[in-house]
Amino acid sequence: MSTDIRRGLTGVVVDTTAISTVISETNSLTYGGYAVQDLAASRSWEEVAHLLWHGDLPDATQLADFRAAEAAQRRLDRTGQEVLRKLPETCHPMDVLRTAVSYFGAQDPTEDLADRAANQAKALSLFAKLPTVVALDLRRRRGQDPIPPDPTLGYAENFFHMCFGEVPSADVVRAFETTMILYAEHSFNASTFAARVITSTLSDLYSAVTGAIGALKGPLHGGANEAVMHMLVAIDDPDRVESWLDEALATKQKIMGFGHRVYKNGDSRVPIMQDALDNLIATHADDRVRRLAEVYTRLQTAMFQRKAIHPNLDYPSALAYHVMGFDTPTFTPIFVMSRITGWTAHIVEQLTANVLIRPLSAYTGPQQRPVPA
Ligand code: CMC
């Protein structure tokens, strides 16, 4: 048996997948064989979600059916709403989302793990309900009553409606859809792998998603988008960027929104998201946002000069969500609304050829010894 230790599973190929591929050498990412930048340029978020679950883009009838099924399942039942309202506002919105998925699991005790269609139906139900949870939680923290979902609106429009009581201009909605498409799937990242590990024990889909939410919460993974925003606000002054960065690097801090385990020459998703962010800033920024955007640009330049490290998707996404009007702690829950597609596609794929995921460890503790009398 090999004693080669790959800490963090760096460079280890664990299994096959047909859902997406990340090619670090060419900085490219494809979903079902389609380049993500082409999908972001020409397809709706619902079409991409369908692609990830079913392996191909929907035709017009399939898309209409998909949209109707999603719109019909957005509502939370009364008990679910009460459970979420009882959670302390001191807990993080990711804890609310994790609890919500646990609740949905408790409401659905069906034991049909091997049934692909049943798992896809559960996935669609979560896809439809998570935005309602995120919007309800955003509003309660603002002291506002929830706004029920509007089934006549598309996914993105409805989410804005439930958060703010209005739908913004089409370019803002499209920028939001771009973030959803780009965040949706990324092969064996930490949260997806967590979902696959849980699934590999033949546990249920809700348990796997709950675990994935826990993994995504951390700032080295999905929590980075929230952390980026806190960092930009903390730096605040464009003239302070260089001194702030020098001090942070001198104290060995990780700069949020930079670096990537797989991409070492730039995250393939960043140029698309940067274009969307530039458009948002050009048309929707006030003086405060323009100041933060200057901090953002200078930090990116300084980071490259000092460490030659590129930004990852969380860097432009964070400022984009801020310009769209979302509260900072909501950024990672929005990431969940998107990545639920990738997670559940992987859960279904894991089950089609399951093998228990159980690696080994190299023991470094004391030699075997007698228990003292
Ligand atoms: N700030 C400062 N230094 C960094 C950073 C960073 N963000 N990222 C990498 N480095 C340095 C690291 O310290 C190391 O330097 P040295 O060789 O001198 O020790 C070198 O670059 C190689 O880094 P690494 O630790 O081998 O990289 P990794 O693959 O283990 O870590 C990462 C990847 C994402 C955890 C790390 O880049 C990081 O902590 N970034 C900040 C958090 C972040 O933005 N996370 C989002 C990741 S992408 C989206 C997602 O998955 O959700």
Side-chain angles (χ1 to χ4, degrees):
M1 198 162 290
S2 167
T3 53
D4 182 22
I5 299 171
R6 307 295 286 271
R7 294 194 67 229
L9 297 180
T10 305
V12 175
V13 178
V14 171
D15 207 339
T16 60
T17 180
I19 299 166
S20 73
T21 185
V22 182
I23 307 167
S24 52
E25 294 76 22
T26 52
N27 286 358
S28 46
L29 167 65
T30 61
Y31 299 165
Y34 298 112
V36 75
Q37 63 270 25
D38 296 341
L39 292 169
S42 63
R43 296 297 178 150
S44 68
W45 165 226
E46 289 94 331
E47 285 175 285
V48 174
H50 184 284
L51 166 67
L52 290 170
W53 282 331
H54 301 285
D56 230 328
L57 290 162
D59 62 25
T61 309
Q62 289 169 323
L63 181 58
D65 290 349
F66 183 90
R67 286 199 157 126
E70 183 271 317
Q73 297 185 66
R74 292 172 181 162
R75 277 188 174 272
L76 306 183
D77 63 27
R78 189 182 297 269
T79 314
Q81 293 192 37
E82 278 167 19
V83 166
L84 299 182
R85 279 205 207 94
K86 284 196 172 122
L87 294 175
E89 281 176 34
T90 46
C91 79
H92 193 278
M94 286 291 276
D95 301 340
V96 174
L97 210 48
R98 196 187 57 220
T99 305
V101 174
S102 257
Y103 172 77
F104 297 141
Q107 293 291 94
D108 177 10
T110 50
E111 294 284 347
D112 42 13
L113 202 62
D115 184 339
R116 187 185 178 94
N119 280 323
Q120 286 177 335
K122 291 176 206 274
L124 181 62
S125 170
L126 288 177
F127 179 79
K129 288 182 177 60
L130 292 183
T132 315
V133 174
V134 175
L136 180 148
D137 192 43
L138 175 142
R139 289 183 69 81
R140 84 170 176 133
R141 287 166 197 268
R142 289 181 170 197
Q144 298 168 332
D145 289 334
I147 297 175
D150 180 345
T152 67
L153 296 174
Y155 177 104
E157 289 89 348
N158 174 61
F159 181 57
F160 279 104
H161 161 75
M162 290 191 298
C163 288
F164 308 126
E166 58 188 31
V167 178
S169 56
D171 61 325
V172 176
V173 173
R174 187 58 200 161
F176 177 79
E177 287 207 50
T178 299
T179 69
M180 299 301 276
I181 291 169
L182 297 178
Y183 266 141
E185 161 58 11
H186 216 213
S187 72
F188 278 38
N189 59 86
S191 57
T192 301
F193 190 57
R196 289 192 77 129
V197 169
I198 294 168
T199 303
S200 82
T201 70
L202 301 182
S203 183
D204 67 294
L205 178 140
Y206 299 97
S207 297
V209 171
T210 305
I213 291 174
L216 194 79
K217 182 183 177 190
L220 297 190
H221 191 12
N225 62 6
E226 173 179 346
V228 165
M229 201 62 228
H230 291 311
M231 175 182 70
L232 296 177
V233 169
I235 298 173
D236 182 57
D237 181 353
D239 291 333
R240 223 166 68 82
V241 165
E242 304 236 346
S243 58
W244 180 92
L245 180 62
D246 288 337
E247 193 183 328
L249 292 176
T251 51
K252 298 272 174 221
Q253 286 179 48
K254 286 278 181 352
I255 312 305
M256 291 294 125
F258 288 88
H260 201 277
R261 172 60 63 80
V262 180
Y263 303 113
K264 296 301 178 193
N265 298 309
D267 181 331
S268 58
R269 305 162 295 178
V270 165
I272 315 155
M273 197 54 230
Q274 187 63 52
D275 284 350
L277 174 61
D278 290 343
N279 288 338
L280 282 174
I281 290 172
T283 46
H284 298 282
D286 56 17
D287 286 348
R288 171 80 184 130
V289 168
R290 273 189 283 275
R291 183 180 164 96
L292 288 171
E294 185 60 24
V295 171
Y296 168 101
T297 306
R298 288 202 202 177
L299 182 61
Q300 182 172 340
T301 305
M303 187 66 179
F304 194 76
Q305 284 167 347
R306 283 159 182 71
K307 299 280 288 182
I309 296 179
H310 298 269
N312 57 54
L313 176 60
D314 292 314
Y315 197 58
S317 300
L319 193 53
Y321 287 143
H322 179 76
V323 179
M324 290 175 203
F326 295 110
D327 300 336
T328 303
T330 308
F331 294 1
T332 316
I334 295 174
F335 189 162
V336 173
M337 286 165 40
S338 165
R339 189 57 66 86
I340 186 69
T341 54
W343 288 337
T344 48
H346 277 275
I347 290 167
V348 170
E349 186 178 67
Q350 177 71 32
L351 287 168
T352 58
N354 190 52
V355 57
L356 177 71
I357 300 173
R358 202 297 188 194
L360 297 175
S361 53
Y363 179 65
T364 59
Q367 290 299 308
Q368 187 166 349
R369 50 187 169 157
V371 176

